[in-house]
Amino acid sequence: MVELKLSNGVGIPQLGMGTWQINDRGSLLEIIKAGYGLGYSLIDTAAAYSNEMAIGKVLEKLGIPREKLFLSDKVWNTNRGFDAVQEACRRSLKKLKTDYLDLYLIHWPASPKLHEAWESINAETWRGMEKLYEDGLVRAIGVCNFKIHHLEALFKTSEIVPMVNQLELHPGMPQLDLVSFCRGHNICIEASSPLGNGEILTNETLIALSQTKGKTVAQICLRYGVEKGLILIPKTTSTERLRENKGIYDFTLSPQEVSMIDSLPYCGGIGIDPDEVTEFG
Ligand SMILES: NC(=O)c1ccc[n+]([C@@H]2O[C@H](COP(=O)([O-])OP(=O)(O)OC[C@H]3O[C@@H](n4cnc5c(N)ncnc54)[C@H](OP(=O)(O)O)[C@@H]3O)[C@@H](O)[C@H]2O)c1
């Protein structure tokens, strides 16, 4: 699997397995076993997905050596703050039956729309993340869904710049300004919902391009992310699609094709504005 480097030198697989909406232990066992066999090692979960315990049991059952995996997890909105984030991380480690995470992320920013003290809330949560990093419980730290104003505010007090910003990014939602801002600060972009939660796969422009390239629409979407140097975590419950989603390194998209995809209008996805997210999602 192709590996990218985070700003602290930690290697991260470019392609991983998303696990949102996979809760049942049997499905997790099947998909993680098949994925590992195909070369996937990055597993993206979150406290909010309610599947950490099942993933922990699956990993124990499969007996995959810990160092062969890249485990990424996220702290939920109800656990913001210096102490709360550290306690949440320790709970997650227990559920996942591991001593450390490879990447730990703040799931959503506290936003100016919903929290008067949003800047200090995010600053304190980040201070807790930095402590987890210093204590060696996590190999890399980052955020999710942080817009430019959230990052600019964080930079006023942070000692460590987030290594990753995981955000919704796919054809129809290229987030060009945010990507360029993150690049300028050496923050790696991880594309969540790189297939637009499956909704963008019927887009006619993407279908036409996939026919020209002799690839599937999902492969076009994922290759678009590769051309941009993104980390990609598509979710699938199908072994066949796990294999298909890996088939993105034997073709390229030209700069013209990438800019054509950049200019597509919104055509589906999650589409949640991080400034609108409450403690309940
Ligand atoms: N940080 C955040 O706030 C955040 C938000 C959203 C997502 N995420 C992360 O990003 C991961 C991926 O995002 P997502 O789950 O929203 O959706 P996604 O990966 O964009 O799309 C998943 C959908 O596409 C289908 N699919 C997968 N591969 C396919 C293929 N080759 N051909 C056709 N259909 C295919 C899946 O169906 P099947 O399962 O039936 O194959 C599923 O319906 C999540 O699981 C989660 O880990 C993070």
Side-chain angles (χ1 to χ4, degrees):
M1 201 61 83
V2 171
E3 193 174 90
L4 304 183
K5 281 263 184 282
L6 301 179
S7 58
N8 64 344
V10 165
I12 180 168
Q14 178 163 47
L15 185 64
M17 293 184 279
T19 67
W20 179 37
Q21 297 173 319
I22 319 182
N23 298 86
D24 144 67
R25 206 196 307 173
S27 307
L28 284 163
L29 176 65
E30 202 176 305
I31 212 68
I32 292 173
K33 187 176 177 193
Y36 185 69
L38 288 165
Y40 287 84
S41 57
L42 192 172
I43 299 173
D44 180 79
T45 182
Y49 300 169
S50 302
N51 61 11
E52 291 165 301
M53 204 175 274
I55 291 174
K57 288 191 172 143
V58 162
L59 295 177
E60 184 177 56
K61 182 162 185 177
L62 291 175
I64 302 171
R66 176 64 187 85
E67 68 278 9
K68 301 273 187 202
L69 293 167
F70 190 101
L71 288 183
S72 175
D73 205 343
K74 313 182 191 85
V75 60
W76 185 240
N77 306 349
T78 41
N79 288 307
R80 294 188 176 119
F82 182 71
D83 290 327
V85 67
Q86 291 180 74
E87 286 156 19
C89 181
R90 287 185 163 84
R91 281 196 298 276
S92 289
L93 288 172
K94 238 185 215 161
K95 288 182 184 169
L96 287 166
K97 296 176 184 286
T98 182
D99 297 334
Y100 68 94
L101 293 169
D102 296 284
L103 177 62
Y104 197 45
L105 304 166
I106 298 179
H107 207 144
W108 293 94
S111 82
K113 265 199 180 174
L114 300 169
H115 299 270
E116 206 179 322
W118 66 282
E119 286 203 42
S120 60
I121 297 171
N122 288 335
E124 280 303 289
T125 311
W126 188 249
R127 210 162 61 77
M129 299 286 283
E130 289 175 334
K131 179 81 168 71
L132 288 164
Y133 181 64
E134 282 155 19
D135 289 347
L137 271 72
V138 298
R139 294 176 66 228
I141 46 176
V143 295
C144 302
N145 305 304
F146 270 50
K147 296 182 173 180
I148 293 176
H149 57 273
H150 303 121
L151 288 167
E152 281 175 336
L154 196 69
F155 292 161
K156 291 182 199 164
T157 51
S158 59
E159 289 190 5
I160 301 171
V161 173
M163 289 136 200
V164 169
N165 191 4
Q166 182 183 113
L167 44 109
E168 182 174 354
L169 198 163
H170 47 73
M173 194 167 176
Q175 307 248 37
L176 298 178
D177 291 344
L178 182 49
V179 168
S180 147
F181 180 88
C182 288
R183 288 256 151 76
H185 291 274
N186 209 5
I187 300 171
C188 218
I189 303 285
E190 185 172 31
S192 69
S193 306
L195 307 175
N197 203 242
E199 287 178 12
I200 62 175
L201 302 177
T202 50
N203 178 276
E204 285 181 7
T205 309
L206 294 174
I207 291 174
L209 182 58
S210 77
Q211 286 165 348
T212 316
K213 294 282 178 185
K215 287 289 182 176
T216 67
V217 178
Q219 288 170 329
I220 297 290
C221 295
L222 296 172
R223 182 68 211 186
Y224 169 70
V226 170
E227 301 295 355
K228 288 168 173 275
L230 309 178
I231 304 159
L232 302 156
I233 44 169
K235 168 258 169 188
T236 182
T237 42
S238 143
T239 304
E240 207 32 65
R241 286 171 172 175
L242 273 179
R243 190 172 289 112
E244 175 187 332
N245 293 347
K246 256 189 73 186
I248 53 174
Y249 292 104
D250 57 356
F251 75 110
T252 57
L253 294 173
S254 68
Q256 292 76 8
E257 287 164 336
V258 170
S259 28
M260 187 269 285
I261 299 176
D262 277 343
S263 63
L264 282 179
Y266 185 77
C267 50
I270 310 289
I272 298 173
D273 180 347
D275 278 322
E276 306 283 348
V277 170
T278 68
E279 311 321 84
F280 310 105

